[in-house]
Amino acid sequence: MKRYVVTGGAGFIGSALVRILLEDGSVAVIDNLLTGHERNLAEVRGKVELHRADIRDRAAIAPLIRGADVVFHMAAIPSVPRSIDEPVPSHEVNIDGTFNVFQAAAEGGVRRVVYAASSSAYGDSETLPKVETMLPRPKSPYAAQKLVGEYYASVFHSCFGLETVSLRFFNVYGPRQDPSSPYSGVLSLFMKSLLCRRPPTIFGDGEQSRDFTYVEDVAQLCLKAAHAPGVAGKMYNAGNGGRYTLNFIWSLLQKTEGVEIPARYGPPRPGDVRHSMADTAAAVAELGHAPRFTIEEGLKRTLEWYRREA
Ligand code: UD2
């Protein structure tokens, strides 16, 4: 039986991945429960090994990683503004912690590591969609940290023979995204505002756009990246290939709910990227990426979940 390890497996994306992996093997989760929650694994808790450990602690995580077939490295302190407000922990987790995971995997005989990279690495490119061959232009500590992780993934492959695949996630949304922090993903905050009938705050003019990608599509791609042949050492976009402005999404949500709640507008956020959209051709051709969820369907499912659970 395959043994999978998911760092950050109690988090929003990690826990969706755990559910998919359980159909294919045994799963151990490494999570410090800083931004993740045990409740994210509620109905699968009996089938998962949950280790409360911090990726900054190499000695603690090395024995948990040793001998795994595939490690999915999802643990991170996400958020562009958080990396500006709290650069030290974000650096330590996203760079030092990521190094520790690769190092433990290389020493522990792991076959492959799938690394959660970020679309923020592109920064403000002159053209859209964003293609893997473009020069990265990180605009925030978070973007720089995630990019360093990709470079480490690549050199752990070339220098130490560890198979690695980096996936640049494009604004993932869906059930279990935690809306409780000001650093939470914008769609989780929109959902909360909508259900509480309170105006959301939009930073800037709301015409910035994102390639919002449904969590299940990303989790499926992670599994494909774990097994695709001939892709070790490479990086791929993990997006949907579309883009929507915040103004459009907020108006769509109001229409769906049959309410009128004008948004409040605040100053643009430092480090913010203006437009983001993935070229998915390489992921489709080489990993078999096949996103299934349109924005309408994804938002509908997400809203249903928040209505039920939040
Ligand atoms: C970046 C990455 C994304 C992922 C994420 C992890 C880009 C293009 N995307 O997402 O792939 O790695 O980081 O954190 O770099 N906003 C509001 N009101 C709010 C909250 C946010 O208007 O209450 C705006 C924000 O200014 C931004 C957009 O919504 O323009 C999306 O913000 P986000 O924090 O959800 O994600 P983002 O794009 O920084």
Side-chain angles (χ1 to χ4, degrees):
M1 177 132 121
K2 285 176 218 128
R3 176 178 152 80
Y4 293 122
V5 171
V6 184
T7 72
F12 153 56
I13 303 174
S15 63
L17 175 60
V18 165
R19 286 176 173 76
I20 289 172
L21 297 178
L22 279 170
E23 291 166 21
D24 198 51
S26 74
V27 181
V29 164
I30 296 173
D31 205 302
N32 65 358
L33 302 180
L34 177 71
T35 58
H37 303 282
E38 208 169 336
R39 65 168 185 269
N40 285 342
L41 295 169
E43 90 286 359
V44 293
R45 185 64 192 85
K47 299 184 209 157
V48 177
E49 256 178 65
L50 174 59
H51 300 279
R52 190 168 183 170
D54 194 305
I55 57 169
R56 283 169 289 195
D57 185 348
R58 185 147 23 110
I61 64 167
L64 305 174
I65 284 177
R66 187 171 302 127
D69 290 293
V70 182
V71 173
F72 296 87
H73 177 35
M74 305 288 125
I77 296 187
S79 169
V80 167
R82 188 168 185 167
S83 76
I84 295 172
D85 295 345
E86 301 167 11
V88 174
S90 121
H91 174 97
E92 287 173 353
V93 168
N94 296 343
I95 294 188
D96 299 338
T98 292
F99 171 83
N100 289 341
V101 171
F102 286 134
Q103 172 69 9
E107 277 184 349
V110 169
R111 180 177 60 79
R112 187 173 286 188
V113 179
V114 176
Y115 165 63
S118 167
S119 67
S120 59
Y122 287 110
D124 287 318
S125 59
E126 273 146 33
T127 55
L128 292 171
K130 300 187 181 192
V131 191
E132 288 88 341
T133 47
M134 283 176 173
L135 201 63
R137 294 175 172 187
K139 288 181 71 179
S140 63
Y142 172 73
Q145 292 153 11
K146 281 283 162 180
L147 183 59
V148 169
E150 279 181 31
Y151 290 150
Y152 260 129
S154 162
V155 298
F156 264 90
H157 178 243
S158 57
C159 298
F160 304 110
L162 176 69
E163 289 189 15
T164 58
V165 181
S166 295
L167 298 175
R168 280 189 184 169
F169 291 176
F170 277 71
N171 289 73
V172 184
Y173 73 101
R176 298 188 188 83
Q177 189 166 28
D178 184 355
S180 66
S181 146
Y183 301 123
S184 299
V186 69
L187 291 194
S188 72
L189 295 169
F190 275 11
M191 295 286 162
K192 191 169 141 190
S193 294
L194 187 69
L195 294 174
C196 299
R197 305 290 191 253
R198 278 202 306 259
T201 301
I202 291 181
F203 299 120
D205 62 4
E207 286 304 300
Q208 65 266 52
S209 61
R210 294 291 183 269
D211 186 349
F212 291 109
T213 306
Y214 193 63
V215 64
E216 219 175 290
D217 283 333
V218 165
Q220 289 290 354
L221 183 61
C222 287
L223 179 58
K224 289 173 177 169
H227 299 294
V231 297
K234 296 183 73 174
M235 175 275 285
Y236 296 91
N237 286 341
N240 231 333
R243 72 186 171 96
Y244 299 92
T245 66
L246 298 185
N247 288 333
F248 171 81
I249 300 270
W250 181 243
S251 72
L252 187 66
L253 288 174
Q254 290 174 86
K255 240 179 258 159
T256 312
E257 194 70 358
V259 292
E260 246 184 75
I261 311 169
R264 281 199 208 108
Y265 287 81
R269 244 171 32 179
D272 220 33
V273 166
R274 184 69 178 160
H275 299 297
S276 181
M277 181 169 96
D279 182 317
T280 58
V284 169
E286 296 175 33
L287 302 177
H289 184 34
R292 289 173 43 222
F293 294 90
T294 61
I295 190 80
E296 289 80 7
E297 183 60 25
L299 287 177
K300 189 171 143 236
R301 286 174 183 240
T302 307
L303 190 55
E304 276 162 17
W305 185 86
Y306 281 97
R307 209 189 299 284
R308 221 175 38 240
E309 306 279 339

